[in-house]
């Protein structure tokens, strides 16, 4: 059996519980907590459109506006002035860190749902990876897959089937190198994870899940925004940039690509697939309720500029034909 690249989107969690894996619900939950002061919340509200439905961020579009302000603050904060003068007020200087901590806590919500993937879904998937060493890439924060892969020993360091470049000492692209490429595949966190943090020694390390409780990390290795700002965050992170570079290598090694629970909205991924999968089979596994009035085959052919096979299921977690 030949190697493939399996790319998982948010549909994985939505197939289990649309309520628990809803971005709006996570944003609302964190907004109600004590992550931000009243002054910081006021600054965030001032960034939102006047016609916003809520008095808080409620969508990726709202987060995009915040990311633009954050980037502007970072830029001004990097300009040195004489006599301790500063472009930004004290609140302005605190704003980038506050936003990153807010976004980090929203992402953490998806790591604390208590949900697990059903055995009937996990067993065929992990058996397939054991046999083929197929690559796995995620577009969301993947505790569901991660826990399943740990339990089945898909993830077991260099003794498992997949590696993500993380060891006890942190991430290194050298850790992604394989002496025997046929024995190991890659596990690529394309949009990062709230588990990743910058250690004092300059290394990028990973929390254990139980360590996330109470943490308010100023994370720069996490993509949670509108698609228009995602490439900027990826480019600014040495970790995420490496994962995207290795995605190109994974696609080159693969005979087929399976897109699972992916909306098709990430143009940076679509462009890479369009350029690298011209002669490869691409399958899209999606919920049968995804825009049912539209021609989904035409939609995907337009997105990926390639011939595509589309598999519609009432529950995508019923899929076993990897």
């Amino acid at each position: 059996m030949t190697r493939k690249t399996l790319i998982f989107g948010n549909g994985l969690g939505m197939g289990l519980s649309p309520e628990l894996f809803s971005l709006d619900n996570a944003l609302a939950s964190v907004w109600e907590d004590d992550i931000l002061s009243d002054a910081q919340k006021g600054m965030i509200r001032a960034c939102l459109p006047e016609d916003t439905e809520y008095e808080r961020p409620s969508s990726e579009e709202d987060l995009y506006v915040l990311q633009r302000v954050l980037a502007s603050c970072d830029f001004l904060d990097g300009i040195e002035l004489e006599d301790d003068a500063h472009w930004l007020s004290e609140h302005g200087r605190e704003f980038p860190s506050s936003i990153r901590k807010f976004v980090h806590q929203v992402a953490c919500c998806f790591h604390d749902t208590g949900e697990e993937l059903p055995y009937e879904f996990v067993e065929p998937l992990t058996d397939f990876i054991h046999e083929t060493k197929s690559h796995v890439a995620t577009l969301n924060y993947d505790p569901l897959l991660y826990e399943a892969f740990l339990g089945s020993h898909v993830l077991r360091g260099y003794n498992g089937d997949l590696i993500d470049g993380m060891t006890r000492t942190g991430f290194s692209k050298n850790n992604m190198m394989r002496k025997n490429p046929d024995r190991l595949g890659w596990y690529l966190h394309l949009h990062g994870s709230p588990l990743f943090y910058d250690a004092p020694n300059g290394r990028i390390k990973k929390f254990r899940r139980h360590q996330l409780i109470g943490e308010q990390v100023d994370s720069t290795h996490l993509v949670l925004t509108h698609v228009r700002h995602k490439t900027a965050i990826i480019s600014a992170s040495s970790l995420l940039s490496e994962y995207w570079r290795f995605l190109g290598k994974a696609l080159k090694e693969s005979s087929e690509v399976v897109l699972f629970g992916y909306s098709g909205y990430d143009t940076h991924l679509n462009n890479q697939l369009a350029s690298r999968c011209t002669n490869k089979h691409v399958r899209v596994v999606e919920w049968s309720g995804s825009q049912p009035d539209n021609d989904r085959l035409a939609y995907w052919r337009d997105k990926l500029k390639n011939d595509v096979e589309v598999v519609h299921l009432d529950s995508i977690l019923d899929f076993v034909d990897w």
Side-chain angles (χ1 to χ4, degrees):
M1 192 177 294
T2 55
R3 170 177 274 162
K4 302 179 183 181
T5 294
L6 316 179
I7 302 176
F8 291 86
N10 189 47
L12 182 70
M14 296 293 281
L16 273 178
S17 173
E19 180 178 353
L20 289 175
F21 290 90
S22 161
L23 174 60
D24 180 44
N25 288 347
L27 287 165
S29 175
V30 175
W31 188 261
E32 299 290 330
D33 287 343
D34 296 326
I35 304 299
L36 302 173
S37 68
D38 289 340
Q40 290 166 339
K41 287 183 177 180
M43 294 176 72
I44 290 174
R45 279 193 291 264
C47 299
L48 301 177
E50 292 184 1
D51 60 350
T52 187
E53 184 177 356
Y54 305 103
E55 291 295 309
R56 59 165 176 81
S58 61
S59 66
E60 286 190 347
E61 186 69 37
D62 290 343
L63 293 175
Y64 170 67
V65 176
L66 296 181
Q67 290 287 352
R68 290 179 61 190
V69 176
L70 186 154
S72 299
C73 289
D74 283 342
F75 175 75
L76 290 173
D77 194 42
I79 300 176
E80 296 184 4
L81 300 176
E82 296 179 357
D83 301 325
D84 294 327
H86 207 286
W87 288 103
L88 298 173
S89 66
E90 183 177 348
H91 285 308
R93 277 174 276 175
E94 294 177 354
F95 189 75
S97 180
S98 300
I99 289 298
R100 290 189 177 106
K101 288 175 181 177
F102 174 64
V103 169
H104 179 265
Q105 286 298 305
V106 171
C108 285
C109 288
F110 304 123
H111 276 259
D112 192 28
T113 63
E115 294 287 333
E116 294 181 354
L117 292 170
Y119 176 79
E120 295 78 11
F121 175 80
V122 169
E123 184 184 31
L125 172 59
T126 54
D127 285 349
F128 177 76
I129 295 173
H130 285 320
E131 182 176 354
T132 65
K133 316 301 180 185
S134 288
H135 307 295
V136 171
T138 60
L139 297 168
N140 294 85
Y141 323 115
D142 46 11
L144 297 172
L145 278 181
Y146 199 77
E147 290 301 310
F149 287 172
L150 286 174
S152 61
H153 293 166
V154 166
L155 295 176
R156 199 182 184 188
Y158 292 102
N159 295 315
D161 303 295
L162 304 178
I163 53 175
D164 66 358
M166 283 283 182
T167 66
R168 292 180 180 178
T169 61
F171 176 82
S172 169
K173 63 181 179 181
N174 293 331
N175 296 339
M176 301 285 282
M177 303 304 176
R178 306 160 300 170
K179 292 182 179 179
N180 182 358
D182 293 333
R183 198 182 66 79
L184 286 170
W186 290 307
Y187 188 18
L188 308 172
H189 313 268
L190 297 180
H191 285 167
S193 169
L195 298 175
F196 300 148
Y197 69 99
D198 293 311
N201 63 2
R203 301 296 295 272
I204 301 169
K205 304 186 76 172
K206 182 192 290 186
F207 287 117
R208 295 184 182 275
R209 281 183 61 189
H210 73 272
Q211 293 175 309
L212 283 177
I213 300 174
E215 291 289 344
Q216 297 184 27
V217 176
D218 186 351
S219 178
T220 57
H221 311 292
L222 187 63
V223 179
L224 182 55
T225 185
H226 192 274
V227 64
R228 284 176 288 178
H229 203 75
K230 289 182 179 181
T231 53
I233 295 176
I234 292 166
S235 298
S237 166
S238 58
L239 173 64
L240 301 186
S241 295
E242 285 297 327
Y243 282 145
W244 280 88
R245 187 169 72 87
F246 274 90
L247 175 63
K249 295 177 180 291
L251 293 174
K252 186 176 181 179
E253 291 183 359
S254 301
S255 64
E256 180 178 334
V257 176
V258 179
L259 297 174
F260 187 92
Y262 167 53
S263 65
Y265 295 153
D266 286 341
T267 53
H268 52 299
L269 175 61
N270 297 343
N271 291 340
Q272 181 140 193
L273 294 174
S275 64
R276 296 181 181 273
C277 297
T278 304
N279 298 315
K280 300 182 188 296
H281 186 223
V282 178
R283 272 191 297 165
V284 176
V285 181
E286 65 178 9
W287 176 47
S288 57
S290 299
Q291 300 178 341
D293 296 331
N294 293 341
D295 184 341
R296 297 299 291 174
L297 185 58
Y299 170 86
W300 283 108
R301 285 176 174 172
D302 178 65
K303 290 286 185 181
L304 304 180
K305 313 304 180 188
N306 284 303
D307 195 18
V308 177
E309 175 189 353
V310 181
V311 180
H312 284 126
L313 296 170
D314 291 339
S315 171
I316 61 173
L317 295 180
D318 290 337
F319 185 77
V320 295
D321 185 22
W322 297 100

